[in-house]
Amino acid sequence: MPRPTAAQLAYGSCTVIFSTLAMLLLSQTSSGLGIAVITLSALALGLLVAVTVPLPKRVRSGSLAAVPAPAPAPVQERVPAQRETASVAASLSSLSSVSSASGSAVREPAGP
């Protein structure tokens, strides 16, 4: 049997403590038999909660076939920053020369 995890211990302990207090306060019993029944029922409830806490999934060596890792995506070669800056500057200078050559010939579209 595997060892209980920290989550199982915490949930089980909290369940035992809080359920014992709640049942003792609600039943208002003072007899030894009543306290023993409440204590045993709280322990059983705590054990049930600790056992039903979801466990982390473990991979068994013989139960699952090895799944190959996905191939990494191909890396595209980036243009160095100097080339990008030069091409952007050339594009802007060609646009400015076209707009200055047209001068005032550019008109705003007429509105409705």
Side-chain angles (χ1 to χ4, degrees):
M1 183 171 154
R3 289 183 158 186
T5 63
Q8 287 176 315
L9 290 174
Y11 284 131
S13 299
C14 288
T15 302
V16 169
I17 293 168
F18 290 126
S19 62
T20 303
L21 288 175
M23 287 189 277
L24 284 173
L25 290 174
L26 291 174
S27 69
Q28 296 179 353
T29 187
S30 59
S31 68
L33 182 62
I35 293 172
V37 168
I38 288 173
T39 304
L40 289 176
S41 62
L43 284 172
L45 184 62
L47 183 63
L48 177 71
V49 167
V51 170
T52 58
V53 171
L55 295 173
K57 296 189 180 205
R58 295 183 182 181
V59 177
R60 296 182 189 153
S61 60
S63 65
L64 296 175
V67 178
V75 179
Q76 295 179 352
E77 186 177 322
R78 297 273 305 155
V79 178
Q82 292 175 345
R83 289 185 186 170
E84 289 179 4
T85 307
S87 66
V88 169
S91 299
L92 288 177
S93 65
S94 65
L95 285 176
S96 64
S97 64
V98 169
S99 64
S100 64
S102 62
S104 62
V106 178
R107 296 183 185 170
E108 295 290 326

